Each structure stands twice: as structure tokens, then as C-alpha cells.
Amino acid sequence: MRNSNSRSEVTPNPYEMAVAQFNSVSDRLGLDEGMRRLLSMPKREITANFPVRMDDGSTQVFTGYRVQHNLARGPAKGGIRYHPTVTLDDMRALAMLMTWKTAVADIPYGGAKGGVIVDPKALTDRELENLTRRYATEISILIGLEGDIPAPDMGTDDRIMAWIMDTVSMHRGYSVPGVVTGKPISVGGTAGRMEATGRGLLYIVQEATAYRGLSGDGLTVAIQGFGNVGAVAARLLHRASYKVVAVTDVSGGVYNNRGLNPDALLQHKRPAGQLLGAPFGDSLTNEELLALPVDILIPAAVGGQIIARNASTIRAKIIVEGANGPTSPEADAILEDNGIFVVPDILANAGGVIVSYFEWVQDLQSFFWEEDEVNERLHRVITRAFRDVVHMAERDRCSLRQSALLLGIRRVVEAIGVRGIYP
Ligand code: NAD
């Protein structure tokens, strides 16, 4: 299955990458041909071309998607991305990853993803709201409290989630806070959601470094991407006495082997709009960041960043995947040969969806928890998932990626099996 959007040769097709990962474990799981076909394709997908009224009175047509991969374990769950490079294949890949991710974390959801081909920074607030409300209406035949619950991803935030929640609520005639997660607290959001993915990364880094026998203050960290995920991870790791020596965003970034202060970087980035030129160390490119000799490397930007061409330049001891799909299968093999310990996306960045689940549960109960309780429960769920995955990797003598896929896919297959095939 391909769509017509072209992609440069160096960036692998994300859907082909996701299917290759799935195929790499389906033999081991002994899946029959029918199950392989079922799980390597999305269950449902919408492509919507829709008009939006712009501030200058003109009309622009945008393209958006919502893809549901599998719902055997519960309602579909997955973020919404606003980015100029969004493709249908991205959505298919990311929806599949969400199915495995929710299963690895053992929360009762399936997987979905949505997105719009747009640069949100190029729109005014009113245009962004118009686009969001129209996109939400277009996909409202799929999304809903019990069927498919979106959340923020790249280029979207709590304000956009509030518009989606309001749009669906207007259609229903009453408030449906649980239709999206990652909302502002004032309309049913949860404490701790904004930081959840970065906080989950912190807990995973703590588990992974302990497991690999790296200890003590000042373990060095390089982070690619300085948005919702990367900047929060940088702040929390800094506070937990890790030494964040390099960060980049799309513009490039900054390196200082004595350590960087993420709060100062954020203060620089807010007015400047980019990290490049931050006066706290030497400038560096994204490729240079990936090749730094650090203890921990956290890709937390777009997918397809660690590929065959640059994998052998990586000198980090541990990679913790904050981004979705940052490593191609070819690169994975090179990293494994080089003894680099990779904590895969479907485990490492699950903090966001775990706390999204807590938000949804609180919305269903109309009863809200303190932030400490949210963080404590997140810690419990994500460290249990890490230990389950490590245990299986040791038992089956495989990488953490293979083990996480085995664990997640096995849980999904089990749910399909006990439900049976309708009719
Ligand atoms: P964001 O839009 O807030 O930030 C993305 C960051 O990546 C920005 O700093 C941007 O400048 C940088 N970036 C973009 N393209 C880049 C490139 N080519 N090279 C280097 N840097 C680049 O997005 P986010 O929410 O932080 O998401 C980042 C990644 O984490 C995505 O892969 C997303 O799917 C994944 N993720 C996000 C969440 C979440 O809760 N937000 C949860 C799980 C996974």
C-alpha cells in the first residue's frame, strides 16, 4: 500500500519500516497468513480534502487523515500531527505503532493516528481554529469517547485539543471532555499530561542506565528535538542530575561538554524561535549531535533520523527513542552489532499515552487526581512495561525492540483470538 506523496531516498518510507518491524517478529510468533495480513494493514482510514476560510477572505483546501490500525484491545488511541510533511503512510505507520505501544504498556486501547498537511506556524490563530474545527468535523465519523480518542502530537497542543473537544461537544449538544486527551485542565485535562512523555523518558532513562550498570551524577545526554517531548525531557533529566550536553531543533543547536541549562535554552528559544545561535556553547548540526560520544542519546524530533548512512557514526551507549520511528530497520541492525542498547519508541515514549489513558479515565469518572498520583501511577506502569520487555529480551535473547514488539503483538493477537471473528 503506497500513497502518492514522494519522499527522498534517504528517508525511509515509515509504513514500510513499520511493516518490516512487524514482519521481523511475526515468524517468531508463528502468526498465520491471515493474522499477518490483518495486522500489517490499517482497519480503517479517512482522507479528507476540506476547505478553510482564510483571514484574507480566500479559501484554501487542506488534506487531513485519520487512520485506525486495530481496536481489538479497546478504543483507538493516537495523536494528531500538523506538519507539512504528513503523509498517509506516516499515519498508517504511526497508527500501527500505537497499537503495539498501548499493548506494551498494557492499557486498554487500540492504535490510531491523524494529521493534516499544514505548517501550523504559517496560519493565524483564527485560521488554525477554523482548520481544526473543520478537520474535527471531517473525522467525527470516526472519533468519539468510546471509539477513537485523539491527543496532541507534533504541531498540535492543548489549545487545539480544546477546539476539537468543543467541536464534537457542539455536534452532540453536550460536553464530551473524554473525546480527546491532552486538553487544558479547565476542560477536563489531567495534571501531569503536558510533561508526561518527557517524564516517561526520564523514568526509562533511569531504568535503562541502572540496567546497563551506568550510575552516578553527570551521565551525559544529547537530545535531538526541543519541543513538547525533547524540552521537557531535557528539563527533567537536568533536574535529576544528568548532564544535558547537547540539544538541537530543526535549525541545529548547541553543545557544551560542561552541560547546558534547559531553562535558559527555553528562554532563548521563546523569542528567537530557534535554538541555533543560543549563546551557551558551540553550534552543532543534527548529524553532529547524533555522533556525540554521550552516555544517552534521545532522538525526540521527527522519524527516520537514524538510518543506514549515519548509524555507524553513533557513539552513544544507550539510545532512548523519544520520537516515533526515529530508527530504520537497517540502522537498527548496525546499532545492535555495535552493542548500543536501544530502548524502542513503543516503550520509551509511552508516557504520553499512559497519562492520556489516566485523563480519559478521570473524564469518565468526572473525578480528578492530584499530580503526584498521576506521576506515581505513570512510574508504576512504565517501569513495569520496561521490566516486562527486558525480561522477555533476556529470555528470548533478542533486542528490546524485538522483545517489545513480541510482547505488544502477542497481546493484540490474544485479544483478537479470544474475541473471535465476527460474524
Ligand atoms: P514538537 O513539534 O513539540 O517538537 C518537535 C521538535 O523537533 C522541535 O524542536 C522541532 O524544531 C524539532 N525538529 C523537527 N524537525 C526536525 C529535524 N528534521 N531535525 C531536528 N529537529 C527537528 O513535537 P513533539 O510533540 O515534541 O514530538 C516529537 C516526537 O515525539 C515526534 O516523533 C512525536 O511523534 C513523538 N511523540 C510525541 C508525544 C507527545 O506527547 N507530544 C508522545 C509520544 C511520541
Side-chain angles (χ1 to χ4, degrees):
M1 206 184 303
R2 298 195 67 122
N3 68 2
S4 56
N5 291 323
S6 65
R7 205 168 259 278
S8 77
E9 226 180 301
V10 286
T11 312
N13 177 297
Y15 179 56
E16 286 169 8
M17 256 171 64
V19 173
Q21 281 178 358
F22 168 69
N23 287 336
S24 74
V25 297
S26 49
D27 276 346
R28 219 166 173 147
L29 285 168
L31 301 186
D32 64 31
E33 188 51 29
M35 189 63 81
R36 280 176 205 233
R37 280 187 60 72
L38 182 68
L39 289 178
S40 59
M41 290 188 284
K43 177 181 175 68
R44 303 185 181 111
E45 47 190 41
I46 290 180
T47 297
N49 302 302
F50 54 91
V52 175
R53 181 96 57 217
M54 309 305 279
D55 282 0
D56 65 4
S58 68
T59 300
Q60 264 187 40
V61 176
F62 291 87
T63 301
Y65 308 104
R66 184 73 184 169
V67 175
Q68 295 179 343
H69 174 254
N70 187 277
L71 290 82
R73 289 172 39 87
K77 188 86 187 82
I80 288 177
R81 181 174 291 192
Y82 286 179
H83 199 271
T85 66
V86 160
T87 68
L88 184 53
D89 275 352
D90 280 329
M91 302 298 107
R92 290 168 174 158
L94 292 165
M96 186 187 287
L97 286 182
M98 286 305 297
T99 304
W100 314 146
K101 191 183 298 184
T102 52
V104 169
D106 210 7
I107 52 178
Y109 283 140
K113 202 79 182 187
V116 179
I117 306 171
V118 60
D119 176 3
K121 292 198 192 96
L123 301 188
T124 65
D125 280 0
R126 188 162 42 178
E127 290 166 347
L128 193 61
E129 181 174 349
N130 287 348
L131 175 136
T132 299
R133 289 185 182 279
R134 181 62 188 244
Y135 168 67
T137 304
E138 296 287 346
I139 64 168
S140 63
I141 48 176
L142 283 189
I143 64 172
L145 176 66
E146 290 165 329
D148 182 349
I149 305 131
D153 190 67
M154 281 178 64
T156 59
D157 57 15
D158 55 341
R159 192 173 55 142
I160 289 174
M161 294 306 114
W163 289 331
I164 296 177
M165 174 268 193
D166 185 68
T167 301
V168 172
S169 299
M170 287 299 117
H171 293 173
R172 302 279 198 282
Y174 51 88
S175 288
V176 194
V179 69
V180 287
T181 58
K183 301 176 295 293
I185 296 213
S186 55
V187 288
T190 181
R193 175 61 183 86
M194 296 295 282
E195 293 201 327
T197 307
R199 183 172 291 282
L201 288 174
L202 165 70
Y203 296 152
I204 290 287
V205 166
Q206 288 171 331
E207 289 288 314
T209 49
Y211 180 71
R212 296 296 278 186
L214 299 176
S215 58
D217 288 351
L219 290 173
T220 53
V221 188
I223 303 179
Q224 184 197 39
F226 203 62
N228 291 332
V229 178
V232 171
R235 277 176 46 226
L236 295 177
L237 284 160
H238 176 72
R239 274 187 225 154
S241 300
Y242 291 85
K243 189 156 76 167
V244 179
V245 293
V247 292
T248 48
D249 62 13
V250 69
S251 67
V254 56
Y255 169 72
N256 188 329
N257 67 3
R258 281 175 291 132
L260 296 160
N261 179 341
D263 289 314
L265 286 166
L266 271 172
Q267 271 178 12
H268 165 86
K269 185 170 171 156
R270 268 189 204 115
Q274 60 177 38
L275 280 174
L276 192 69
F280 308 112
D282 302 327
S283 296
L284 90 168
T285 64
N286 274 286
E287 285 290 307
E288 287 165 346
L289 175 131
L290 294 177
L292 288 173
V294 286
D295 294 306
I296 304 131
L297 171 65
I298 303 183
V302 281
Q305 294 298 297
I306 303 177
I307 54 180
R309 181 172 54 74
N310 61 14
S312 55
T313 68
I314 290 179
R315 289 180 286 165
K317 295 182 184 128
I318 296 175
I319 298 178
V320 175
E321 293 184 342
N324 285 312
T327 310
S328 73
E330 296 78 15
D332 232 357
I334 297 169
L335 298 174
E336 203 174 343
D337 284 349
N338 291 346
I340 297 169
F341 186 73
V342 180
V343 188
D345 46 9
I346 57 172
L347 169 61
N349 71 29
V353 74
I354 292 168
V355 175
S356 272
Y357 166 58
F358 297 159
E359 179 174 334
W360 182 72
V361 166
Q362 291 169 78
D363 287 337
L364 289 175
Q365 300 174 340
S366 297
F367 180 74
F368 291 87
W369 312 341
E370 301 290 329
E371 184 165 353
D372 282 355
E373 184 174 356
V374 172
N375 294 344
E376 226 170 85
R377 286 179 184 270
L378 167 61
H379 186 260
R380 211 178 309 152
V381 174
I382 205 162
T383 54
R384 185 192 58 207
F386 180 85
R387 289 168 193 176
D388 286 350
V389 170
V390 164
H391 177 71
M392 188 175 274
E394 285 172 353
R395 202 195 60 193
D396 290 10
R397 294 176 184 281
C398 62
S399 68
L400 256 55
R401 186 177 321 277
Q402 295 260 308
S403 156
L405 286 166
L406 284 167
L407 182 69
I409 296 169
R410 186 172 288 156
R411 285 177 176 157
V412 175
V413 169
E414 189 187 333
I416 294 170
V418 294
R419 287 179 63 153
I421 293 177
Y422 175 86

